[in-house]
Amino acid sequence: MNQTVVNDGVTIAYKVFDGVEPAVVVLHGLAGSSREFIDTADGLAGRRVILIDQRGHGQSTTRPADTSREAYVSDVVVVVGKEASVPVVLVGRSMGAHTAMLVAAARPDLVRQLVMLEGNQGGGTADEHMALGDFFRSWAVPFAGRAEALAALGEGPLEHAWVEDLEERADGLHPRFDADVMQATIEAVGEPRWAEWESIEVPALVLYADGGMFSEEQKAEFVSRGRAVRRVDLTGASHDAHLDAFDQWISALRGAVAESAQASRAFR
């Protein structure tokens, strides 16, 4: 993993897969890490891909003092400026999609295309945010081994991703995130950012799963309030469609990247 230290002293870890520009920069969801998107990077073989562990996640600083949306955006801007010729194809899932959306709004010069998987303008209630924090705090860590962790967390694709990402320490396996930081992060995501979404002029591909977390009304409103938005629906998929509907996900992403690259060549 590569690392860079940003302005507030937080270390941001990221992995670079070398290849041709324009680069594809991928942001994971809450309590996830870049590890979940290694298959995605492999599916884009030949393209430069940058997978970022957002602050508080993966191999980046676990307990950053600043969990604001602005801090997350700034981290992405730093890594993109360091590792890619701009503009890039910026991809995010869930909380990462929210981060990507805000980057595209704040720095349109860095983004040629936005891809959002199971993301929207933000929202949720205080009770929902507290319940999510309580869920992560309920994990009986450290786990003695990965089999024990799977038994405790479940056997779904997301649970497998969590277990694969557990950190080995002397006393057992620990998550690479702090529950309180996760709650603070999702609380920040809870502030709706309609103004930012409605300001984005770069092309946006919005992907939703038929078994995801958003209602049809929420999906339709989000798409209708964007400027240059194309919607793709993934079938037989969950909120973790990059894991349980991978073929549909990578096909849609490849198409978006190819279109972006072709448009780039046309304007040279």
Side-chain angles (χ1 to χ4, degrees):
M1 294 287 283
N2 297 15
Q3 293 185 337
T4 190
V5 178
V6 297
N7 291 338
D8 63 351
V10 166
T11 296
I12 301 299
Y14 58 93
K15 186 173 181 61
V16 178
F17 295 76
D18 202 15
V20 299
E21 305 274 1
V24 179
V25 179
V26 185
L27 309 176
H28 58 79
L30 188 78
S33 79
S34 60
R35 180 189 292 266
E36 292 174 34
F37 286 92
I38 290 175
D39 286 347
T40 294
D42 290 342
L44 297 173
R47 177 72 50 188
R48 187 170 181 82
V49 179
I50 304 167
L51 308 181
I52 300 177
D53 281 347
Q54 295 176 86
R55 61 173 53 209
H57 297 77
Q59 295 185 42
S60 294
T61 297
T62 304
R63 297 177 182 83
D66 189 351
T67 55
S68 67
R69 295 280 70 210
E70 290 70 25
Y72 277 79
V73 167
S74 179
D75 297 340
V76 175
V77 171
V78 168
V79 174
V80 169
K82 186 179 177 69
E83 296 291 348
S85 297
V86 296
V88 303
V89 178
L90 185 57
V91 181
R93 173 200 165 258
S94 193
M95 179 272 288
H98 193 266
T99 307
M101 176 190 76
L102 296 180
V103 172
R107 292 294 306 271
D109 56 309
L110 300 185
V111 182
R112 70 176 61 241
Q113 179 155 14
L114 174 65
V115 179
M116 299 177 66
L117 172 62
E118 280 286 296
N120 72 351
Q121 78 288 342
T125 67
D127 286 345
E128 289 170 340
H129 301 153
M130 175 67 79
L132 193 57
D134 287 342
F135 167 66
F136 292 128
R137 283 186 286 269
S138 75
W139 289 17
V141 295
F143 298 112
R146 298 190 193 277
E148 177 188 305
L150 276 176
L153 299 178
E155 290 284 347
L158 179 61
E159 290 76 14
H160 273 272
W162 278 334
V163 170
E164 289 170 6
D165 205 35
L166 291 170
E167 179 183 9
E168 281 194 53
R169 301 182 193 168
D171 61 344
L173 300 175
H174 292 258
R176 294 184 186 271
F177 57 82
D178 177 83
D180 293 341
V181 171
M182 295 301 96
Q183 183 176 334
T185 297
I186 201 63
E187 286 172 352
V189 174
E191 177 187 350
R193 298 294 192 105
W194 282 116
E196 286 87 346
W197 170 238
E198 292 171 348
S199 75
I200 295 172
E201 296 183 351
V202 301
L205 172 64
V206 177
L207 299 104
Y208 288 116
D210 56 0
M213 68 178 292
F214 301 110
S215 68
E216 181 53 41
E217 291 74 19
Q218 289 174 312
K219 298 173 187 177
E221 181 181 13
F222 186 68
V223 171
S224 69
R225 290 176 68 166
R227 293 194 179 191
V229 186
R230 181 166 66 91
R231 172 177 167 179
V232 170
D233 292 292
L234 309 179
T235 60
S238 75
H239 188 57
D240 310 302
H242 63 302
L243 300 174
D244 62 23
F246 179 79
D247 289 347
Q248 294 177 70
W249 157 244
I250 199 64
S251 177
L253 182 57
R254 282 173 180 154
V257 172
E259 289 173 9
S260 183
Q262 185 174 13
S264 175
R265 289 192 294 269
F267 285 98
R268 285 181 182 174

